[in-house]
Amino acid sequence: MTAADTQIQKALRRVRRPQPLRNRELLLLLFALALSAGAVVLVQFGAVGELQPGIFVGLGIVGFLTLALHVVLRIRASQADPFLVPIATLLTGLGIAMIHRIDVYNATVDAHIAAPSQIAYAGISIALAIALVWALVNYRVLFRYTYIFGLTGIVLLVLPFIPFLNGGGNAVVWINVFGFNFQPGELAKICLAIFFAGYLVRTRESLASTGRRILGFTFPRAREFGPLIVVWLISMAIIVLQRDLGTGLLIFGMFVTTLYVATGKTGWMLTGVVLAVAGAIGASFVLTYVHNRFDTWLNALDPALYDASDGGSFQLVNGIFGLAHGGLFGTGLGQGRPYLTPVSQSDYIFPSLGEELGLVGLFAILCLYLVFTARGLRIGVLGQDDFGKLLATALSFTLALQVFIMVGGVTRVIPLTGLTTPFLAAGGSSLVSNWLIVALILRISDAVRQQPRAVIG
């Protein structure tokens, strides 16, 4: 018997063995797929009054791929968390349904149609997640390439500055490859998360215990803290030049949180918050586009700002009006007017869903994000491997912070920044990166559950 035959027999035994976690995942996944398909059906009946079956071919392929991911998990990661894939599937499905709803209107005015490309990117994203789960048998191998991932993250952020790759737009964040626009910063945040986690595992003891003590804080020596600060400063400088405030805030939050978890020093978290607030206020005085964001946030209902042709508050106020129109239970899928808000399928997907699903529907969506984040953080807390703990925490917190930034921005809690709502908003690069995050956390959770005495409910 060859080694390949032995591996196949082991895989078959794992499949035949009762897997309560995977059975739970299958039931939740089927429920998520049914809800997604039902949302598209309601959109079509609500918006056009009849069923148009064309879109269901693409949805069927996406559903097949999610089931394929489930099968791969049964074979390669039988102890992985059972909630992550169903939650990501449902959020992706709801996003496609709302994008399709806006497409129904856009088709009548010859505007851009986004749902077909979103479905295609969803299929590509899930296929890449399948490949990552299958190939990455031991996630700890990433630890060996800590510095390579740090360098890769910086290179990805630099790519939009290359003239023949630049994809255009006000923010220098897109690259164009063979006619397709992609935002490399979405992948850069994953690479930098791996770098931060790997570097802090190597230096956490020195960062936490050695150095000079000033005003109650222990500041680490430059030789341990220097490389980390250099990578972070380079990343921040690139982002400022790109006029991409959202990604800058996201990477800064990930940096501070990972540092806090690694060292256990509350001072780092407080220092990070102070620096973020000071930096934002300073940027509002120095950078015109940041000042305009603050002005729009503070004076959104000013008639002059609302009627401004460029950089006004029309989009923000219309999104809030849409939320108000939805009320508690919403107008019903396909029966609202979310298309009145500019880019309602991407930046303003959350108010679009709020108008047609209401406050109750938005709370349900936020609960999905809450459960996803809680599972990721719990995996990090209970892990016995420092690298996996930091990586799972960094990735989970980054997704949660991105949700807060976007939801807070469109509801006028904080100034709006240029990010996408994870899984929901139209955008292929965001969808790819978020599904890769799902795959990495799945791999970490499988390893955690197989550790002695590691039990996650």
Side-chain angles (χ1 to χ4, degrees):
M1 182 180 295
T2 65
D5 293 333
T6 303
Q7 291 295 326
I8 292 174
Q9 287 188 357
K10 288 181 179 179
L12 290 174
R13 283 198 295 270
R14 283 197 296 268
V15 172
R16 295 191 187 102
R17 189 185 307 160
Q19 298 181 336
L21 294 178
R22 302 277 66 81
N23 294 338
R24 185 186 306 170
E25 178 186 74
L26 179 59
L27 290 175
L28 292 173
L29 183 56
L30 292 175
F31 182 62
L33 292 173
L35 284 180
S36 301
V40 175
V41 170
L42 289 175
V43 162
Q44 293 189 346
F45 278 117
V48 298
E50 63 179 4
L51 193 63
Q52 298 175 342
I55 191 174
F56 290 97
V57 176
L59 289 176
I61 295 174
V62 172
F64 173 79
L65 287 171
T66 57
L67 292 173
L69 176 57
H70 166 76
V71 173
V72 168
L73 288 172
R74 281 185 176 270
I75 298 173
R76 303 287 281 184
S78 61
Q79 299 301 307
D81 190 275
F83 295 97
L84 300 182
V85 174
I87 290 174
T89 300
L90 180 54
L91 290 171
T92 302
L94 290 176
I96 291 173
M98 181 49 60
I99 295 167
H100 175 58
R101 188 269 169 276
I102 297 166
D103 281 352
V104 171
Y105 170 79
N106 286 342
T108 65
V109 295
D110 295 326
H112 175 66
I113 303 299
S117 61
Q118 185 75 356
I119 292 173
Y121 276 119
I124 293 171
S125 303
I126 299 170
L128 289 174
I130 292 172
L132 184 58
V133 170
W134 184 274
L136 190 64
V137 178
N138 185 358
Y139 72 88
R140 296 178 186 87
V141 72
L142 301 175
F143 180 69
R144 304 176 189 172
Y145 306 102
T146 296
Y147 295 98
I148 292 177
F149 277 108
L151 179 61
T152 302
I154 294 175
V155 170
L156 287 170
L157 291 174
V158 169
L159 287 180
F161 291 107
I162 301 176
F164 64 86
L165 289 178
N166 181 257
N170 293 328
V172 190
V173 296
W174 297 94
I175 61 173
N176 188 287
V177 181
F178 302 115
F180 292 95
N181 275 354
F182 195 82
Q183 191 172 346
E186 290 286 348
L187 295 180
K189 68 184 182 185
I190 299 178
C191 294
L192 291 175
I194 296 172
F195 167 75
F196 291 149
Y199 185 81
L200 287 170
V201 166
R202 290 180 167 89
T203 60
R204 61 185 301 175
E205 294 299 329
S206 298
L207 291 173
S209 59
T210 62
R212 300 180 63 182
R213 192 168 182 83
I214 303 174
L215 298 176
F217 293 95
T218 301
F219 289 89
R221 295 174 297 187
R223 67 182 182 184
E224 284 93 8
F225 205 50
L228 199 65
I229 288 293
V230 167
V231 171
W232 175 74
L233 286 176
I234 292 174
S235 303
M236 292 299 103
I238 293 171
I239 289 165
V240 168
L241 294 174
Q242 289 177 336
R243 297 167 56 92
D244 187 11
L245 184 62
T247 302
L249 183 59
L250 199 65
I251 292 178
F252 181 81
M254 177 175 64
F255 168 76
V256 173
T257 301
T258 310
L259 185 60
Y260 167 70
V261 173
T263 62
K265 299 291 185 180
T266 308
W268 288 118
M269 182 65 72
L270 297 176
T271 303
V273 172
V274 171
L275 288 175
V277 173
I281 295 174
S284 68
F285 288 101
V286 177
L287 303 174
T288 303
Y289 73 96
V290 178
H291 174 77
N292 291 338
R293 293 288 177 91
F294 271 83
D295 192 26
T296 300
W297 172 51
L298 295 173
N299 305 297
L301 300 179
D302 184 340
L305 192 60
Y306 178 80
D307 295 328
S309 58
D310 184 31
S313 62
F314 176 83
Q315 183 187 38
L316 175 60
V317 174
N318 261 32
I320 295 173
F321 285 165
L323 289 171
H325 184 217
L328 189 60
F329 298 105
T331 61
L333 285 170
Q335 300 182 57
R337 293 184 294 174
Y339 46 81
L340 295 179
T341 304
V343 293
S344 52
Q345 73 276 20
S346 54
D347 290 2
Y348 275 74
I349 191 76
F350 194 76
S352 299
L353 286 162
E355 181 175 353
E356 300 202 341
L357 296 179
L359 186 62
V360 172
L362 290 186
F363 275 165
I365 290 173
L366 290 176
C367 284
L368 291 175
Y369 284 122
L370 180 63
V371 173
F372 187 100
T373 305
R375 301 300 294 186
L377 293 177
R378 187 172 175 82
I379 290 164
V381 168
L382 295 184
Q384 299 178 15
D385 170 58
D386 290 338
F387 175 68
K389 177 181 295 188
L390 291 178
L391 183 56
T393 302
L395 294 174
S396 303
F397 177 81
T398 300
L399 189 140
L401 180 60
Q402 189 167 342
V403 173
F404 170 75
I405 291 172
M406 280 311 300
V407 174
V410 299
T411 56
R412 208 183 162 202
V413 174
I414 59 174
L416 182 65
T417 59
L419 288 174
T420 57
T421 309
F423 301 108
L424 290 175
S429 48
S430 175
L431 206 54
V432 168
S433 68
N434 288 321
W435 273 98
L436 290 178
I437 287 175
V438 171
L440 286 171
I441 298 178
L442 285 170
R443 262 302 172 195
I444 297 172
S445 68
D446 178 63
V448 167
R449 286 179 179 275
Q450 295 185 28
Q451 293 170 355
R453 298 181 303 278
V455 180
I456 303 177

